[in-house]
Amino acid sequence: MSELRKYEINTSQYELYKQMHEKQTLDYVMKKRLQYSKLNNTKMSIKEVLSRMDNFIDPSDPDLDVPNSIHAYQTAERIRKKYPQDKEYQIIGLIHDLGKILFEFGEENWSVVGDTYVAGCEYPKSIVYYDTLKGSPDFDKYTKIGIYEIGCGLDKLNITFGHDEYLFQVLKGNDNHNISQKYLDIIRYHSFYPWHTGGDYYQFMNEKDKTTLKNINEFNSFDLYSKEDPIEITEEVKAYYDKLLDEYFKGDLSW
Ligand code: FE
Ligand code: FE
């Protein structure tokens, strides 16, 4: 476990975070949210998007060197092992990273992947590669509360834009699926490490967020360790999820 999530300087991860930290200002985050909430990029089924993850390896994750579709099935399979009856939870394992389709819309990696944090308030030290935040025009601009209010709830925060927020917007904005709010929140905040693992931003939490925190901490135990736990993805496994996706999604979604 201690081998995982080790970040060093002068690696591709470092470069990604340096760019993210300099460019994901409050202004940028608000613009990207508005742009993508329109869902006017394309219409695709959830299966089509999943299959497009075959050729994509996450550049931000130091622990992952398999295509994202394999990561999707492996995460789902770990959930199925523990919760064989909970189909919705399994589906979330499968789809949680599909927001990475943002790459196909021309977004750069610092706007798609990596740990997220809040724009519009002070940056806590728990943010990975904290020092590169000093290159942001927003550095030292805000207090610990910033433009927000104590207890306002995470949903009110402008969290850096990426695959979490994007897939949340897609699922929120399409009604031809039956994924419930609990799972939408897991998707939305799963990369929010300074909060769910770093213990920061608690000043903004409301009652709902306490439940989300518990849910995400459990979800993350299924999400991370693909290299160490090589689950085989057979045709039977793929067929199982194919059927499951048919139960939860109907037709194309607007992306
Ligand atoms: Fe992710
Ligand atoms: Fe993941």
Side-chain angles (χ1 to χ4, degrees):
M1 290 262 269
S2 58
E3 290 294 297
L4 291 158
R5 293 186 71 78
K6 229 191 233 171
Y7 293 96
E8 283 156 9
I9 287 186
N10 291 325
T11 58
S12 56
Q13 279 106 38
Y14 174 79
E15 287 307 320
L16 181 151
Y17 281 108
K18 188 170 182 292
Q19 296 222 44
M20 179 197 278
H21 290 171
E22 290 171 3
K23 294 173 180 168
Q24 289 244 10
T25 58
L26 177 60
D27 194 47
Y28 178 86
V29 171
M30 290 168 81
K31 274 186 194 146
K32 281 291 156 187
R33 281 192 173 206
L34 187 64
Q35 176 190 342
Y36 280 101
S37 65
K38 294 176 181 153
L39 304 179
N40 59 2
N41 294 285
T42 185
K43 289 198 190 296
M44 264 196 279
S45 70
I46 199 94
K47 287 184 190 177
E48 171 64 21
V49 176
L50 179 63
S51 75
R52 294 199 186 200
M53 298 292 135
D54 280 350
N55 304 314
F56 170 63
I57 294 174
D58 189 336
S60 74
D61 193 333
D63 310 321
L64 213 55
D65 58 3
V66 297
N68 233 253
S69 56
I70 301 292
H71 171 62
Y73 286 111
Q74 288 186 333
T75 305
E77 281 291 274
R78 275 181 225 115
I79 293 170
R80 178 151 76 126
K81 230 182 188 175
K82 188 160 179 198
Y83 298 104
Q85 304 307 324
D86 194 340
K87 292 179 180 180
E88 191 177 9
Y89 202 178
Q90 295 163 24
I91 286 272
I92 294 314
L94 190 67
I95 70 168
H96 74 280
D97 277 338
L98 294 189
K100 290 177 186 175
I101 194 70
L102 280 169
F103 279 111
E104 290 202 7
F105 308 144
E107 291 300 327
E108 293 191 62
N109 54 12
W110 54 267
S111 203
V112 181
V113 293
D115 298 1
T116 59
Y117 54 94
V118 184
C121 66
E122 191 179 83
Y123 302 126
K125 296 248 163 43
S126 65
I127 297 175
V128 62
Y129 294 121
Y130 174 83
D131 281 344
T132 60
L133 284 160
K134 292 173 184 160
S136 166
D138 282 359
F139 190 79
D140 265 353
K141 197 167 165 185
Y142 301 103
T143 65
K144 207 174 165 189
I145 304 302
I147 63 167
Y148 307 106
E149 279 170 36
I150 291 173
C152 61
L154 298 192
D155 293 350
K156 291 259 164 63
L157 305 176
N158 292 283
I159 296 178
T160 50
F161 188 76
H163 70 286
D164 294 41
E165 177 65 20
Y166 178 55
L167 184 62
F168 171 79
Q169 293 292 348
V170 168
L171 294 173
K172 216 45 201 173
N174 285 276
D175 57 10
N176 50 348
H177 65 82
N178 31 27
I179 304 298
S180 54
Q181 188 63 44
K182 170 187 171 185
Y183 292 103
L184 298 188
D185 290 334
I186 292 180
I187 286 169
R188 191 177 201 181
Y189 300 114
H190 77 270
S191 304
F192 194 18
Y193 276 86
W195 171 61
H196 63 58
T197 301
D200 281 307
Y201 301 118
Y202 280 27
Q203 69 271 27
F204 299 127
M205 285 171 74
N206 60 21
E207 279 308 307
K208 182 185 87 153
D209 299 329
K210 290 180 192 166
T211 311
T212 306
L213 180 60
K214 269 190 227 141
N215 294 340
I216 288 188
N217 281 328
E218 197 204 21
F219 175 78
N220 278 340
S221 70
F222 302 116
D223 186 16
L224 269 183
Y225 312 123
S226 297
K227 245 194 219 170
E228 307 211 319
D229 184 10
I231 296 167
E232 223 200 311
I233 307 306
T234 61
E235 287 310 309
E236 283 90 336
V237 169
K238 287 192 176 177
Y240 171 80
Y241 288 105
D242 210 55
K243 222 182 117 218
L244 221 55
L245 286 172
D246 287 336
E247 280 177 40
Y248 280 82
F249 289 87
K250 300 275 175 260
D252 287 352
L253 304 176
S254 297
W255 293 82

